[in-house]
Amino acid sequence: MNTFVAGTYGVGKTSLCKQLALSTGLEHYSASSLVQHTGPNKSVINSENNQEILIQKVVDLNRKWKSLILDGHFCIFEGQEIVKISLEVFNKLNINKVIIIQDEPSKIYLRLSKRAGQQFDLKTITKLQQLELERAQNFCEKYCATLLIENMSNIRLETLKNFIINTK
């Protein structure tokens, strides 16, 4: 079973997951690094095709490792449009735990401003955070997964580690 760490672009998922992988001994992968079919500013070119690629890669990885930490999004940009990923995709990714990482939109904005070409206004960041949370809640309710919501400003690595290791 896999843990999915989700949140909007620039919230700090990948950096956090690298620390979690070290502390838990689990392998960590970023969904975008497994797919590698993104356009400018991490926008997605073909979301349905990308999700099929992601599912197959995670299935293959789960043959080697029983549990993984996967970071990514419940909602992505396809061109200029926000696309909600089908909840069935996350079920096929064998997700049984979800960690939503949130932060102040202004802090996310500053992180994104340091990335080449990736800019979202505060309204878009706020909307994305809300959609990520809603989709995570919907997924967990529908597929009986466990949800943990954390704010990057006061995150405790030990809490996340215990959630990943000890939650069924």
Side-chain angles (χ1 to χ4, degrees):
M1 300 303 270
N2 299 317
T3 300
F4 189 64
V5 179
T8 189
Y9 300 89
V11 77
K13 297 176 302 296
T14 301
S15 298
L16 176 64
C17 286
K18 287 177 184 178
Q19 294 175 46
L20 284 171
L22 288 174
S23 69
T24 62
L26 296 174
E27 294 293 316
H28 160 248
Y29 294 91
S30 173
S32 62
S33 69
L34 290 175
V35 175
Q36 291 295 320
H37 284 83
T38 56
N41 308 328
K42 286 192 172 181
S43 66
V44 173
I45 298 166
N46 182 330
S47 61
E48 288 185 28
N49 184 51
N50 280 9
Q51 301 318 309
E52 291 303 317
I53 292 168
L54 178 62
I55 291 165
Q56 188 56 57
K57 291 205 176 183
V58 170
V59 166
D60 291 345
L61 289 167
N62 278 147
R63 287 189 184 109
K64 186 172 183 179
W65 294 288
K66 188 174 103 176
S67 296
L68 304 170
I69 299 171
L70 181 67
D71 79 71
H73 306 280
F74 282 98
C75 302
I76 56 175
F77 273 97
E78 188 167 335
Q80 297 297 313
E81 299 295 318
I82 297 174
V83 175
K84 296 175 184 177
I85 304 297
S86 166
L87 297 180
E88 181 61 24
V89 168
F90 301 97
N91 188 46
K92 290 179 180 178
L93 291 171
N94 203 23
I95 303 296
N96 72 325
K97 291 174 268 227
V98 176
I99 300 172
I100 285 287
I101 305 299
Q102 298 183 319
D103 208 349
E104 294 296 320
S106 59
K107 290 180 181 179
I108 296 169
Y109 178 84
L110 288 174
R111 279 189 216 106
L112 288 173
S113 68
K114 295 175 185 174
R115 290 185 183 177
Q118 197 166 35
Q119 277 298 336
F120 301 115
D121 59 33
L122 291 174
K123 183 178 176 182
T124 301
I125 293 168
T126 301
K127 181 178 179 180
L128 279 170
Q129 279 204 121
Q130 185 59 39
L131 286 172
E132 286 286 326
L133 177 59
E134 288 172 10
R135 297 297 286 168
Q137 290 169 327
N138 292 343
F139 170 76
C140 290
E141 184 177 310
K142 183 173 183 175
Y143 293 102
C144 299
T146 307
L147 176 63
L148 179 65
I149 303 165
E150 291 288 326
N151 190 297
M152 190 58 107
S153 298
N154 57 8
I155 211 155
R156 293 189 50 226
L157 197 59
E158 194 65 26
T159 301
L160 299 179
K161 176 184 174 182
N162 287 335
F163 177 78
I164 292 169
I165 299 298
N166 298 323
T167 304
K168 296 285 180 192

